Each structure stands twice: as C-alpha cells, then as structure tokens.
C-alpha cells in the first residue's frame, strides 16, 4: 500500500486513485510512444488524441451542441477575471456582477482595474457572504452577468441558477464544475480552474458559446483573446500538456467509472449529507453557511473556540485526514469533498468528528 | 526496460530519465505526505519547499544576486510577448527589437497589437533568418532591447550578447536557458518557456531585476503585472504546481548530476560538434544556418530533396529516434539536442545519418 491519507484539501485537491495509478504506470512510456507524456510534442498524434478525447468526453457529459467550444487556457480562474472584461466590455457597455465572496470580489476588482463599468447587482457581503442572494433584478441591457457558482472559502453554492433573460450568463465554476447535472443552455460562458474537480493546477477549462466569440473586442493580445484558443483548438502555442492529459483521465473516470454527472451528483449529495448531518445534530460543531445556501463541495464549520479548532485539525491529520484547516482569510475548519473524495473518506471524517466531540465536547 | 526512444523533439522535449523516474516513484505519495504532488496544497510546507528549492538552485547556477527575482508565470513565452510591452512601455516610449525569426516576429507583433511603439533595430529576414545580425546600432533612449537568444525553428543562436549600454536588455531564452554559462549582469529580464531545457510545458520562468520592477506601468490586471508575482513568490493564485516541481527536479539534476552550467555547456558543445561534423563532412546533408550563427540546441539541415527527408525521418523513427522533422513552417530536418538529450542519443543519430547517406546518397 502507498499509505495515502484522506485528502480534504480545497485545491489542489484529491484526484481519483485510478487516474494517479494510470499516470504513474505509463509515465516513462506513454501509449507506446517511447516517451513520457511530458516529453511528447503537442503537435503529435498522441497529444491530438488526448486533447480531442478530453473535449469529446466533456461535450458528452455536459450535452454540449456544436455551438459550444471547450478551451484550455493557462493562468487559472484569476486570468479569466481579466480576460472576461477585456473580451466583452467596450468603453460604453456595463456588466452585472453578483458578489458572493472572495472570488467574486477579485473578479470585480480586475474589471475595475481595466477601467470597465461594473454594476454590483447583488451582494451577500452584509452577512459576511454566508448566503446566496435571491430575487436579483438584473439589468436588461448589460453585456453579461457574472456569478460564482460555488464559493470555496465561504462554503456557499447556488442551488439553482438565475434567469438573466437575453443577457449572457457567465459563471466561475472552479469549485463545482462537473460535480452535478448542469443545464448548459442557461450559460454563455463558464470557466473552471482545474485543480478542484477535474485535474491538477495549471489549466483553466473555458466553455464558450459561439455568440460570445462574436462579441470579442478588437486588438487584444493573442494570448488574451478567446478566438485565439477557439480557432486553434487551444494550441496557438504550447498548451499545458500534462494538465490537459490529467483532465482527460479524470473526465474518462467520471464518464466510465462513476457513470456521468447524475451519478456523481448522487454521491456528492450523500457525502455532503453525512457531514452536514453530524454538524446539525451537534451543538459542538456549527456550520458557517446559511442552510439553504450550503455548498455540496466545501463544508465550512466552526468549533467552540480556535484552540479546539487547532487541535481538531492536528488530531485529524494524525489520524490520516489532511486539509481540514479553513482558508487563512476566515479561519475555522473546512472539509472540501470534491468528486474524487470518496464516501469512505467522508465516513472516516464523520467518525472522527463524533469521537472528537465526545472527548472534547 | 521501458523501451524508450531517443527524443529529438523541439519542445516539449526530452527530460532527464532520473527525473522522470523520481516523479514516477513518488507519484502516489509525495515525500511522505500521503498525497500525490498533484494533490498537495500550494499553501503547504511541501510546496513551499519545492518552489523555494527550485529558486535557490536557479540563483546558484546563474550566480544571481538578491536584486534578481525568479518568477514562475503561466502562458508560455507567448504570454511574455504581451506582458513585456504592457509592463514597460507607456504611450510615449519606444522599444528596440531584433528580429531573428518566427518567435522574435511574434514578440514584435504583440507589442504592435497593443499600439506600442516598436523599433526594429536589426533583422536577418533578408537571408531568411539564417544568421544573427552583428554590429547593431541600438538607440540610447529606448525603454528596452528585446532579443531571442536561440531560434528554435531556424537553428540560429547568439554566440555572445550585445552591449546595450544603459538600455535594459531583455531576452527570450526559451530554447537555450541553462544550456551554457551565462553572465546575468548583461540582462535585466530573461524568460523561458520551460518545455525545452528545464521542464514540461505549462510554466514560463522569468528572471527580472529590481530596476525593471520599478518601471512597471500602473493599472495592469493582477495576472499580467510582474510585481504581482515578485511580491507573492509566484503564488498570488494557484501556480502550475506540477510544472514547478518538475523544474525543481531538472535543476537539481543539472546542479548535482551534471555539475553546473559550465559542465553542461561542454556536453552540449560536444553534441553539437558531433552533428555539425557529420553535416560538414558530407555533401548529402546541408546545414541551413550560417556557420557562425549555428545553434548548439537545434541543428537544422536539409537532404537532397523532400522525398529523402521524409524517408529519413521515417526510418530514423523506425530505428528509435523521434522528433527529427523540421518545423512545419520551414520543412527539412531538425535535431533538437537540449540538455537532457544524451551524447549516446546523438551518437546513435550520427551513426544513423552516416548509414543513411551510404544507402541513399
């Protein structure tokens, strides 16, 4: 045995064991090429097959028609924060942003740096971002609406998505992409840093509709222009090959081993229920997100005091469970239970939580 | 045995076998963490040690003083093509560019897209980029001079670097970084996509002097601003962890197994001499770069006709040597012999070249 821990990291995060084993086993000789996957040319048949298979599987899982384009871009979601306003906002038009926490705030900040006009159409800052705003009045003439589908740090998630009428809806789905069924007809652009649900750090998946590509502004640097990626199959320059390869394997695992998004969602709901169940049946643990806004991916909770939280994280680690410390900006505890985190891992954690409460509560 | 080929790819390219083996052997459990290196947090002690060790080794190998900062940025050299003019050119000032081929041309193109003022101070386009210009007259008042130290596609390389006086010298060293001794006091910024000499695709190393950080323009998007990376140890957002980790191991190999840049240069010169020796002693093979501008990294040559070139590439492949086809924009043949390509690999190729000439010449 490899003596692996249960990994509750917020990202980079757990990857499916079978994916890691496949990478390891073929690492010195990829698919009979006589080279590592890190040594093959991105212009080779081998890499073409990797990127095209990844795209086709993503298209199948999300039921994308040919008007959607799956792109792989470097720089993480943070690069998208500036690319989106650069590509879709002129000097004249305005974008609506919903502010649900740290990452939304950063997305807004980058649009403002670029001197673009931003309208904060709703915010949950009044209650420390512990909920998802409802009944939002969107402008009918904005260039797009931007939301963050899951808030990794605050542990909130949009349970359903707003109707923005004819205004394009853009979503940062970094921390819940591919974790549940998704009706892509509601969206015009979604993006996700890979390092939570679909792969390692170093690549951001962008799914963009033809209609958005039509709206791209003129005179953008090639690497910051979505049409560069859509017209060159994400290979205008050398792509982050290893990260794309890992995405391919994770998506293959999701399609073939898990059996698709509906089945993944069932498993993810079960994991979340196990954890929230322990929290709700206890006066020792206290969830930080409002109940109807809770995330299925990042379960944030507090213990009676910070000293106990520190001991909790430390003892969990000693018991083979890592990554339970809350984000440095908010403190407390957080269990990130992305796709690759198993029910067995969550059960180990809930057992530990119950024991810890008995001992220290 | 893993049945590996001799890899002459132009990039992504060969990596040291011992590095690949180390990655493979620890892939399910990195350094006792119980996680894959692709699963650890970039905010963990494990990753801090990786990125800091990589930086310290690079500082030692290049004898950098504390005024230089080693950064890791996504988007490859192509992203640097736009970041450099964005960061260092205002509406008023001008930059000098030397055009020595495809990559220089692309660097110039991105500055022009941004509506910056560019002065092409020298070019070798008149003879199809087969040489490095000499005796260049640089402007004394330009914001910087930009050169491409090695031209992967045309097979040329600056044997020594120009004196630009008080004007900062910037060099794209993607295809010869760490391949030879380098006097960094001549440079104010160098950058290199990792996928040739120092790692896999997905990260660009940038080494920047304090003086350049002082010149960065206002109001740049965070991800396109060099000071974001210098102030946050390249971890403003999640870095491309696996690529940085591989760089760490390659640089460790270079420092500990090879023994530093001087020793690496001796080996690289020997490999180049072996190949150019066969070319120069034959009427069958013809080098495409002018002799005094030849690259030690990318050996470009032609055979008597395209049909023979096709057979050469095919038969070499059947004999366990891959990646010998010239770049699609120029045709012909190219052997890329970066740091990780062994003398044994080059000897296998020169043997094959001699045999092929006997049979077909």
């Amino acid at each position: 045995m490899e003596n692996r821990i249960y990994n509750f990291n917020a990202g980079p995060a757990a990857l499916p064991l079978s994916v890691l084993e496949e990478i390891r086993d073929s690492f010195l000789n990829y698919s009979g090429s006589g080279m590592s996957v890190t040594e093959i040319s991105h212009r080779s048949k081998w890499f073409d097959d990797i990127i095209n298979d990844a795209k086709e599987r993503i298209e199948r899982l999300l039921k994308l028609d040919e008007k959607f384009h799956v792109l792989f871009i470097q720089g993480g979601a943070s690069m998208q924060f500036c690319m989106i306003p650069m590509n879709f906002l002129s000097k004249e038009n305005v974008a609506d942003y919903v502010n649900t926490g740290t990452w939304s705030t950063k997305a807004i900040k980058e649009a403002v740096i670029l001197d673009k006009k931003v309208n904060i159409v709703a915010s949950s800052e009044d209650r420390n971002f512990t909920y998802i705003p409802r009944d939002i009045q969107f402008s009918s003439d904005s260039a797009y609406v931007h939301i963050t589908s899951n808030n990794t740090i605050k542990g909130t998630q949009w349970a359903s998505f707003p109707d923005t009428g004819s205004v394009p809806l853009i979503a940062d789905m970094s921390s819940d992409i591919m974790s549940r069924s998704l009706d892509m007809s509601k969206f015009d652009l979604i993006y996700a840093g890979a390092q939570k649900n679909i792969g390692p750090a170093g690549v951001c998946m962008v799914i963009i509709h033809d209609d958005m590509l039509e709206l791209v502004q003129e005179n953008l640097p090639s690497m910051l222009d979505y049409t560069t990626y859509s017209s060159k199959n994400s290979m205008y320059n050398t792509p982050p090959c290893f990260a794309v390869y890992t995405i391919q394997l994770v998506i293959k695992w999701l399609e073939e081993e898990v059996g698709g998004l509906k089945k993944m969602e069932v498993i993810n709901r079960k994991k979340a229920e196990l954890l929230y169940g322990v929290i709700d049946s206890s006066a020792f643990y206290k969830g930080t997100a409002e109940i109807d806004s809770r995330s299925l991916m990042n379960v944030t909770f507090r213990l009676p005091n910070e000293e106990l939280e520190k001991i909790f994280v430390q003892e969990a680690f000693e018991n083979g469970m890592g990554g339970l410390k809350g984000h440095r900006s908010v403190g407390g505890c957080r269990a990130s239970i992305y796709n690759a985190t198993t029910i067995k891992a969550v059960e180990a954690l809930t057992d530990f939580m119950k024991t810890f409460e008995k001992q220290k509560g």
Side-chain angles (χ1 to χ4, degrees), chain A residues 82-103:
Chain A
C82 71
M83 278 181 71
I84 289 164
M86 286 175 93
N87 277 261
F88 306 122
L89 289 181
S90 65
K91 285 268 173 227
E92 286 77 40
N93 55 7
V94 181
D96 281 357
Y97 278 75
V98 180
N99 191 358
T100 53
T102 309
W103 299 108

Side-chain angles (χ1 to χ4, degrees), chain A residues 115-348:
Chain A
D115 205 21
K116 305 289 189 181
K117 292 198 198 79
V118 166
N119 179 27
I120 315 292
V121 75
S123 169
S124 50
E125 197 170 3
D126 59 340
R127 295 205 297 276
N128 196 23
F129 299 118
T130 54
Y131 71 102
I132 300 293
R134 289 157 182 271
D135 305 322
I136 303 166
Q137 295 301 313
F138 297 100
S139 329
S140 60
D141 59 349
S142 64
Y144 60 82
V145 172
H146 181 281
I147 65 170
T148 312
S149 63
N150 183 78
N151 300 282
T152 328
I153 293 174
K154 302 293 182 177
T156 63
Q157 185 177 29
W158 293 72
S160 63
F161 294 104
D163 184 358
T164 58
S166 64
V167 176
L169 180 58
I170 295 180
D172 175 359
M173 294 196 179
S174 293
S175 50
D176 65 356
I177 187 77
M178 300 285 184
S179 69
R180 52 178 171 170
S181 301
L182 188 67
D183 176 7
M184 275 296 292
S185 71
K186 289 202 154 200
F187 298 92
D188 295 87
L189 190 162
I190 67 170
Y191 62 99
Q195 69 271 14
K196 292 155 197 294
N197 271 305
I198 56 171
V203 65
C204 184
M205 182 178 77
V206 175
I207 302 179
I208 186 168
H209 193 275
D210 266 345
D211 293 348
M212 295 305 284
L213 291 172
E214 295 294 322
L215 300 173
V216 169
Q217 302 291 302
E218 305 267 294
N219 294 325
L220 293 173
S222 304
M223 292 296 288
L224 301 171
D225 181 328
Y226 288 113
T227 65
T228 302
Y229 297 86
S230 63
S231 65
K232 299 280 187 186
N233 198 23
S234 301
M235 290 192 280
Y236 167 74
N237 72 334
T238 315
C241 299
F242 179 80
V244 173
Y245 162 63
T246 308
I247 287 181
Q248 181 215 10
L249 296 182
V250 172
I251 299 293
K252 183 177 162 208
W253 165 85
L254 183 52
E255 193 175 29
E256 296 184 1
E257 290 188 51
V258 176
L261 294 185
K262 276 186 190 166
K263 291 194 177 167
M264 192 73 254
E265 181 170 345
V266 169
I267 296 167
N268 284 333
R269 286 193 182 280
K270 173 153 188 205
K271 291 185 294 187
E273 276 161 22
L274 283 168
L275 272 166
Y276 288 121
V278 170
I279 290 167
D280 289 341
S281 63
S282 146
F284 185 75
Y285 300 106
K286 192 169 157 27
T288 58
E290 295 186 13
I291 288 177
D292 60 3
S293 297
R294 278 174 167 174
S295 169
L296 302 177
M297 298 282 101
N298 309 96
V299 178
T300 51
F301 56 97
R302 303 300 306 241
L303 271 63
N305 60 61
E306 287 186 12
E307 184 56 27
L308 275 172
E309 286 168 348
K310 213 171 147 184
I311 299 167
F312 176 87
V313 170
Q314 180 59 33
E315 288 194 9
F317 185 72
E318 286 159 11
N319 282 275
M321 287 163 273
L324 289 162
K325 198 174 159 192
H327 190 269
R328 61 213 150 92
S329 67
V330 295
C333 299
R334 172 176 57 177
S336 295
I337 48 173
Y338 301 121
N339 286 357
T341 303
T342 59
I343 290 178
K344 198 176 155 199
V346 173
E347 285 170 345

